[in-house]
Amino acid sequence: VILVCMKEKEIVLRGGLVSSPVKVGETVRRTAGAWTPAVHALLEHLAAKGFDFSPRPLGIDEKGREILTYLPGKSLHRPWISVLKTDEGLRQVARMVRLYHEAVADFRLPAGMPWRIGPVQLRPGQIIRHGDLGPWNTLWQGNKLAALIDWDLAEPADRITDVAQMVWYFVPLRGERGWREAGFDGRPDFWHRLQVMTREYGDFSPDEVLSALLDLQKLDLARTAELGGSGKYPWSLFWDRGGMELLTDENTWLKEFMHEAG
């Protein structure tokens, strides 16, 4: 669907490292690509399922950008707001991810639509994971989680992959640099925060999720090396920003944390 809009003021939205989002009226315009029809099909499914945390797709504008509904809320950057340093904030995120997985469980992509990573097929037992499940892609209204945005990296995967990425970035299991940038006064109780999130989500033990996180970090390292090193966007952006070194450091820290935790 092509929607041609009248000229309205464009307001650059904070963040948007990959997709250059702007607000136009009560809509958001973002960079589109071959993957956009698949993402819009996913978002339409979520809307039909009553999942209220994702934007609704409204088509493509005259500049070739996707149009999404504007969702009010404050984008969460570092340092974090206080609620995300608490158990209640973690529970809100885990509940939202669980609701998403329940809503997406029966989604099947129409034939011929690639994801951003390419034409990956859904295997039995898999769902479409968000793919970039970090605080920077959440919106908050005060202490209430309001939305999950930026679905461009969605792709087929096991549910536990989303859960692993969730704890990676929200606990956060990223070493001293990670928790200091998040704004903690001292080293968080990582194991407690991990347990809070996995208990709220259900189904997977902390050890299972940590093992899945090691696999996810290995995948991210391989993709950044192969796709980023060959210039494929947005992995090339991660590569240029020192993604290989950061991922390697965080993988080393995670292995040490798992060894200490027994």
Side-chain angles (χ1 to χ4, degrees):
V1 179
I2 306 294
L3 298 182
V4 178
C5 69
M6 300 297 290
K7 288 183 180 286
E8 294 186 72
K9 182 179 180 180
E10 296 190 0
I11 302 171
V12 176
L13 296 174
R14 183 183 178 193
L17 179 67
V18 172
S19 60
S20 305
V22 296
K23 183 175 183 287
V24 180
E26 292 306 309
T27 70
V28 173
R29 314 299 172 94
R30 302 171 71 253
T31 305
W35 62 89
T36 303
V39 173
H40 283 196
L42 171 62
L43 295 177
E44 287 169 356
H45 175 87
L46 295 178
K49 286 288 187 174
F51 181 73
D52 296 328
F53 291 92
S54 56
R56 284 19 178 180
L58 300 175
I60 305 294
D61 73 7
E62 71 279 7
K63 295 182 179 180
R65 301 174 299 186
E66 68 170 340
I67 309 174
L68 302 166
T69 54
Y70 174 76
L71 299 177
K74 181 179 179 180
S75 180
L76 188 58
H77 294 275
R78 295 174 288 189
W80 293 350
I81 56 176
S82 296
V83 68
L84 196 52
K85 301 173 192 175
T86 70
D87 291 0
E88 174 53 29
L90 297 177
R91 283 193 288 264
Q92 287 190 57
V93 174
R95 283 196 296 269
M96 182 267 294
V97 173
R98 181 71 193 212
L99 288 172
Y100 166 58
H101 288 173
E102 291 172 356
V104 79
D106 61 349
F107 173 72
R108 298 296 179 268
L109 184 67
M113 292 185 182
W115 298 104
R116 189 153 198 167
I117 194 64
V120 183
Q121 299 301 311
L122 192 69
R123 298 201 303 267
Q126 290 188 328
I127 50 95
I128 302 302
R129 75 176 182 114
H130 178 272
D132 194 11
L133 195 53
W136 51 87
N137 283 328
T138 59
L139 300 179
W140 296 74
Q141 295 177 5
N143 289 332
K144 182 180 178 181
L145 177 60
L148 179 63
I149 59 174
D150 196 354
W151 294 77
D152 285 0
L153 295 179
E155 64 174 319
D158 295 329
R159 282 189 302 131
I160 198 171
T161 308
D162 251 351
V163 180
Q165 191 172 54
M166 174 185 74
V167 302
W168 184 5
Y169 294 134
F170 283 93
V171 168
L173 296 173
R174 310 188 72 180
E176 182 171 352
R177 176 182 173 182
W179 64 258
R180 288 195 181 278
E181 289 182 351
F184 287 91
D185 294 330
R187 177 186 167 105
D189 186 339
F190 296 114
W191 187 254
H192 171 75
R193 289 173 63 83
L194 172 64
Q195 288 179 309
V196 169
M197 297 202 87
T198 55
R199 187 182 304 118
E200 187 66 36
Y201 179 89
D203 292 347
F204 306 118
S205 70
D207 287 339
E208 289 174 319
V209 174
L210 289 175
S211 179
L213 178 50
L214 286 176
D215 291 339
L216 177 59
Q217 290 181 339
K218 182 179 179 180
L219 174 64
D220 282 358
L221 277 163
R223 284 182 173 178
T224 303
E226 178 184 355
L227 302 177
S230 63
K232 182 176 176 61
Y233 192 82
W235 292 273
S236 58
L237 177 62
F238 310 150
W239 172 278
D240 293 340
R241 288 167 59 89
M244 289 296 294
E245 293 81 3
L246 180 61
L247 282 167
T248 299
D249 289 346
E250 293 188 8
N251 180 254
T252 299
W253 181 89
L254 180 64
K255 291 175 179 176
E256 292 172 354
F257 169 72
M258 292 175 65
H259 178 73
E260 293 170 3

